[in-house]
Amino acid sequence: MGMAAQLALAIGIGLLIGVLLGLLIWRWMSRRREAALERHRHAQVLESLEVLSRAYMQGQVDAGEASLRMATLLDCLPARIAPKVDLAAIHQLASDCENFHRGDARKGLTPAQRNREDLDRLRLEDEQAEAFMQATERLAGVLVQWRQQLCPRRRTD
């Protein structure tokens, strides 16, 4: 094998190694970026859960609306989250309330239909109030731990 062939082979191997290293670095950076986006999404979900739970416990939002929003947000969190707490009452009330009309669909109801739905929703909220409040308090109690787990602060040193 001549000197030119050896040089060409060495250049080819060098280029191949460079491309492979570039791909590995790109993949590593992509994973870091995805992890950062996931931490950001989790932080937003946890912040919304904190605001909703506090608003409900202070009487600023009704249980039906709070349960629908909380259940949706809880579904955005990973199953691996710990500690596990019993939040079934939140999901139960949300499930019971999801069939009521909201927004523009509610505007299309007659006053009698709206009144009937309001009474049904209030009855459900009253029946489930204690269990829902306890679940909301349990949720509020674990949010700090969930935040530490899902959104760890990055070391700056």
Side-chain angles (χ1 to χ4, degrees):
M1 185 185 272
M3 182 68 95
Q6 288 179 346
L7 183 59
L9 182 60
I11 290 172
I13 290 173
L15 286 173
L16 181 62
I17 290 172
V19 167
L20 289 175
L21 284 175
L23 287 173
L24 286 173
I25 290 170
W26 178 79
R27 187 173 173 193
W28 176 75
M29 289 177 63
S30 178
R31 285 184 180 170
R32 282 191 61 185
R33 189 171 31 254
E34 288 173 19
L37 287 172
E38 184 176 74
R39 280 192 306 275
H40 179 71
R41 282 190 301 270
H42 289 156
Q44 288 178 318
V45 167
L46 294 170
E47 177 68 24
S48 295
L49 283 168
E50 184 178 353
V51 168
L52 273 169
S53 60
R54 191 175 328 121
Y56 173 70
M57 290 186 291
Q58 293 174 355
Q60 297 173 358
V61 64
D62 64 56
E65 184 66 26
S67 70
L68 289 165
R69 293 175 186 261
M70 286 178 182
T72 300
L73 290 166
L74 287 167
D75 289 343
C76 295
L77 296 175
R80 65 177 161 77
I81 199 162
K84 300 287 185 198
V85 290
D86 180 10
L87 302 176
I90 293 172
H91 291 286
Q92 182 61 53
L93 184 56
S95 176
D96 292 345
C97 289
E98 70 185 357
N99 294 324
F100 294 123
H101 294 85
R102 292 181 297 168
D104 289 336
R106 182 174 164 78
K107 291 177 186 175
L109 298 176
T110 66
Q113 290 171 319
R114 275 196 304 273
N115 188 42
R116 190 171 23 255
E117 280 198 359
D118 288 345
L119 290 174
D120 289 343
R121 182 181 46 79
L122 289 171
R123 179 186 49 76
L124 282 171
E125 289 177 357
D126 188 51
E127 289 171 357
Q128 299 179 35
E130 185 176 336
F132 184 75
M133 178 61 85
Q134 290 172 356
T136 301
E137 289 170 348
R138 284 190 296 271
L139 173 62
V142 297
L143 287 174
V144 170
Q145 291 168 291
W146 287 1
R147 186 173 284 113
Q148 289 170 345
Q149 179 186 354
L150 296 175
C151 313
R153 299 212 184 259
R154 291 182 43 185
R155 296 176 68 181
T156 56
D157 50 357

